Amino acid sequence: MKRPLLRMTQIVGFLLWLASGVGLLLGWPDTATSLLLLAGLLVFQGPTAIAAWRERESKPPKSAEEVLRWYPKWWA
């Protein structure tokens, strides 16, 4: 995702998160504040989480030797 668009979605997600906090302070129904909080989280973290997942899925898995190289000898 391009930087300006990513920044804008993060700002919108943060504003939704703030709105849910205001809703808690003003005594809005629990479902409304929960939905605002969930929407804020999805908008804020969604694009970066999807990009990270796609990057992880596109890489080939590491070989067993490469993974075990980082473990102590007694572990293997």
Side-chain angles (χ1 to χ4, degrees):
M1 195 171 228
K2 295 183 179 178
R3 271 290 183 215
L5 187 58
L6 178 65
R7 181 66 55 201
M8 189 56 115
T9 57
Q10 287 180 338
I11 290 171
V12 169
F14 181 71
L15 290 176
L16 285 170
W17 178 72
L18 281 178
S20 69
V22 169
L24 284 173
L25 288 175
L26 296 179
W28 293 353
D30 289 340
T31 55
T33 55
S34 297
L35 288 176
L36 278 173
L37 185 63
L38 182 63
L41 176 69
L42 287 176
V43 170
F44 188 81
Q45 290 291 338
T48 53
I50 291 171
W53 177 74
R54 284 183 181 166
E55 182 181 336
R56 240 186 355 261
E57 289 294 316
S58 67
K59 291 182 181 177
K62 294 182 179 181
S63 66
E65 292 81 19
E66 190 176 344
V67 173
L68 289 175
R69 175 177 50 181
W70 298 106
Y71 286 97
K73 295 296 181 197
W74 57 265
W75 185 270

